[in-house]
Amino acid sequence: MDRDVLGWRRLFGVMGPSTNTVVQPDYDMMRPPGVTNHYSRIYTPNADAVSNETFRAGIEVIGGNTLDAVRSVMTCRPDYLVMGMSAVTFFDGAKGADRFIRQVKEVSGLDVSVGSHACTAALQAYGGVKRIAVFSPYWPTMNAEVTRYFGDMGFRVVRDIALQCRSWTGIAQVRPKQCAEAIRRLDGDDVDAIVQVGTNLSMVKLAAMAEMWLGKPVIAINAATYWHALRANGITDRVEGCGRLLEEF
């Protein structure tokens, strides 16, 4: 079969919120030769002064528009799909994640990597992880959904931090210093690993450095999701500088 000139190994269709400015460069940074990423924007009005209530309502809007983005990206005939938005993949625990995957597959006929299950696969790859800490740019109502999901998957969330960003675009404006402070506050002898969720939060490089400081897994969701997509497609290239997950597993 003839292959795409640049994406001769795989064409990845990526769905992400139209407000998200971090996923696309993050995924391109981790892209090995012969794999190309094709971004389809999920129409997302930029929420302002987000609260628990408006955050949840905004996520429901994004979730409702996701399948339109799937239909759009399918016109480039991708081989595989990658979800560049994580919150909708944590709603309603493990069964919600499975339901979301089924909906995408019904529309596309393709398999998809999603943030929730990718983080679970990453934690399992490291091995020996039972107790985790989580931080996000979300509001507490969403962190509760993340905690519920990881509980369904057999992990205990010891503590969490929700940065409570005030707009969707504001998530991409969170400085590395603030993320590093959150990691330090979450760490402890009772935590086996730290997981960052929220794909518009720039964390891949910082998480890789934090693994060296702390001597334990620090998983950035963008790294976990892209790693999962690569490995699901039999692409075993090691990507340096983006954490142990992409370098060792």
Side-chain angles (χ1 to χ4, degrees), residues 209-227:
M209 290 187 284
E211 286 191 318
M212 292 188 286
W213 310 332
L214 303 179
K216 65 182 63 174
V218 180
I219 296 172
I221 196 162
N222 287 350
T225 307
Y226 203 75
W227 164 82

Side-chain angles (χ1 to χ4, degrees), residues 89-109:
T89 75
F90 286 103
F91 267 131
D92 202 19
K95 66 180 181 181
D98 291 340
R99 182 170 59 248
F100 178 83
I101 290 172
R102 283 196 304 271
Q103 291 170 343
V104 172
K105 290 181 73 170
E106 285 170 4
V107 169
S108 67

Side-chain angles (χ1 to χ4, degrees), residues 9-14 27 30 32 35-37 79-83 111-115 117-119 121 221-236 245-246:
R9 296 168 84 183
R10 285 294 186 273
L11 302 180
F12 283 168
V14 179
Y27 284 5
M30 296 181 282
V35 177
T36 52
N37 305 319
D79 301 298
Y80 190 84
L81 298 179
V82 188
M83 187 62 184
D111 289 323
V112 57
S113 289
V114 301
H117 283 349
C119 284
I221 196 162
N222 287 350
T225 307
Y226 203 75
W227 164 82
H228 186 272
L230 292 173
R231 301 301 184 256
N233 283 273
I235 298 170
T236 58
L245 193 61
L246 281 150

Side-chain angles (χ1 to χ4, degrees), residues 101-222:
I101 290 172
R102 283 196 304 271
Q103 291 170 343
V104 172
K105 290 181 73 170
E106 285 170 4
V107 169
S108 67
L110 297 179
D111 289 323
V112 57
S113 289
V114 301
S116 54
H117 283 349
C119 284
T120 292
L123 290 168
Q124 292 170 341
Y126 278 98
V129 175
K130 300 291 186 183
R131 302 162 301 172
I132 65 174
V134 172
F135 88 98
S136 78
Y138 302 150
W139 283 65
T141 186
M142 190 61 229
N143 272 27
E145 294 287 343
V146 175
T147 297
R148 175 184 177 184
Y149 167 83
F150 281 119
D152 285 351
M153 303 309 291
F155 301 100
R156 183 163 74 91
V157 177
V158 175
R159 53 186 160 270
D160 70 284
I161 291 174
L163 297 180
Q164 301 187 29
C165 292
R166 307 293 295 185
S167 70
W168 299 131
T169 53
I171 295 171
Q173 297 164 5
V174 175
R175 314 318 297 177
K177 180 180 179 183
Q178 190 175 354
C179 295
E181 289 170 352
I183 290 170
R184 292 189 182 97
R185 287 167 55 198
L186 288 169
D187 187 36
D189 292 340
D190 56 344
V191 170
D192 301 320
I194 296 172
V195 180
Q196 170 264 321
V197 301
T199 63
N200 206 25
L201 193 64
S202 181
M203 269 293 299
V204 172
K205 293 289 189 181
L206 179 60
M209 290 187 284
E211 286 191 318
M212 292 188 286
W213 310 332
L214 303 179
K216 65 182 63 174
V218 180
I219 296 172
I221 196 162
N222 287 350

